[in-house]
């Protein structure tokens, strides 16, 4: 791995995105740390990246806004000269967990805009940028990673909008993988399980019970996932450990996806 590779990680100020940024820094990447509102957290993330010996910069931008996406990509290219890895990590949970029969359009529109439309058009922009770049020695122009969720295939009837949108992001991985494989750009999906972040902070007791209650809890590996668990999976992709895989799904979920008797 050369030290000059660069990554854009959306939503890297906190949680899973921060964990990804730190692991990529350990792999020698320079990181553009995107955030939408929490500049203090973004600076903390950058400081942690620097502690590993890595470097990068913070960049405000709302992935659901076209002008912000264009500015972000231009900014990364200005700062790093090229972009080798995009991680579509930024995402939001519903503000209110509502029964499927009461779920509102406003919530759906927000989830769609941030969790699916934003990543879709950001990926389109980044792919066009990568296509202009010379391939590396192995023919790679870039890699793209989408952070979906076990919710892409698991029903939760009090946040069905989130599940539906995450399923869309899973499909997005496949179509971009298909379109870009011939151009030296591999696209991957990482499906985290229950990870300890601000997003799950409000439902900690519920998941404590589900995960830790007994040896038949919802995950065979009986612990909460940590941002670093997801970061290490992204790092393996960033280090080109899967050159002959594209459109692949990586479950980073403590075995949640297993069907057990
Ligand atoms: P989190 O702790 O709530 O952090 C969310 C991050 O996304 C923050 O950096 C936030 O920036 C950023 N963000 C939110 N809206 C944005 C926007 N419109 N544009 C740009 N950045 C935006 O969430 P997390 O738990 O780390 O989740 C990260 C991803 O993993 C999400 O896609 C989530 O759906 C997925 N996921 C999470 C879990 C879990 O158990 N936590 C499980 C499966 C999948 P600010 O700091 O500026 O607000």
């Amino acid at each position: 791995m050369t030290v000059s590779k660069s990554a854009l990680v959306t939503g890297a100020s906190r949680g899973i995105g921060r964990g990804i940024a730190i692991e990529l820094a350990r792999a020698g990447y320079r990181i553009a740390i995107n955030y939408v509102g929490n500049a203090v957290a973004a600076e903390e993330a950058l400081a942690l990246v620097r502690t590993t010996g890595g470097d990068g910069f913070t960049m405000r931008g709302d992935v659901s806004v076209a002008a912000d996406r264009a500015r972000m990509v231009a900014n990364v290219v200005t700062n790093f000269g090229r972009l080798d890895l995009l991680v579509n990590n930024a995402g939001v949970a519903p503000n209110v967990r509502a029964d499927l029969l009461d779920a509102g359009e406003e919530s759906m529109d927000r989830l769609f805009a941030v969790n699916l439309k934003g990543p879709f058009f950001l990926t389109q922009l980044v792919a066009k940028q990568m296509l202009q770049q010379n391939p590396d020695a192995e023919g790679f122009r870039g890699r793209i990673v989408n952070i979906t969720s076990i919710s892409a295939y698991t029903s939760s009837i009090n946040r069905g909008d989130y599940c539906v949108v995450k399923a869309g992001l899973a499909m997005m991985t496949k179509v971009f993988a298909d379109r870009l494989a011939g151009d030296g750009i591999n696209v991957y999906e990482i499906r985290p399980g229950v990870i300890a972040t601000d997003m799950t902070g409000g439902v900690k007791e519920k998941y404590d019970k589900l995960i830790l209650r007994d040896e038949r809890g919802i995950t065979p590996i009986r612990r909460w996932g940590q941002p670093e668990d997801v970061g290490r999976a992204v790092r393996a992709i960033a280090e080109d450990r899967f050159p002959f895989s594209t459109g692949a799904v990586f479950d980073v979920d403590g075995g949640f996806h297993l069907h057990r008797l």
Side-chain angles (χ1 to χ4, degrees), residues 94-172:
N95 283 330
V96 180
R97 291 188 169 211
D99 179 79
L100 198 54
L101 302 188
D102 300 319
E105 282 195 40
E106 210 177 299
S107 173
M108 180 59 131
D109 286 346
R110 171 174 168 267
L111 293 173
F112 177 74
V114 177
N115 294 2
L116 184 53
K117 185 190 78 170
F120 184 96
F121 288 107
L122 183 61
T123 299
Q124 192 185 63
L125 265 187
V126 166
K128 287 178 179 171
Q129 165 59 32
M130 287 174 173
L131 289 174
Q132 294 171 31
Q133 299 176 174
N134 291 327
D136 69 12
E138 286 173 275
F140 273 102
R141 283 200 168 78
R143 296 151 222 81
I144 295 167
V145 178
N146 297 322
I147 306 299
T148 65
S149 170
I150 52 175
S151 297
Y153 64 90
T154 303
S155 166
S156 293
I157 56 172
N158 62 355
R159 51 189 182 112
D161 38 16
Y162 180 82
C163 299
V164 167
V165 166
K166 283 292 182 182
L169 190 60
M171 188 63 208
M172 191 189 112

Side-chain angles (χ1 to χ4, degrees), residues 11-17 34-38 41 61-64 89-92 114 147-150 162 166 192-195 197-200:
S13 46
R14 295 181 283 126
I16 292 173
N34 161 248
Y35 67 100
V36 69
N38 199 334
D62 185 335
V63 293
S64 69
N89 165 77
V92 288
V114 177
I147 306 299
T148 65
S149 170
I150 52 175
Y162 180 82
K166 283 292 182 182
V194 183
I195 310 292
T197 69
D198 293 343
M199 188 181 276
T200 46

Side-chain angles (χ1 to χ4, degrees), residues 182-195:
D183 297 303
I185 301 170
N186 290 358
V187 187
Y188 305 90
E189 175 186 348
I190 291 185
R191 275 185 192 162
V194 183
I195 310 292

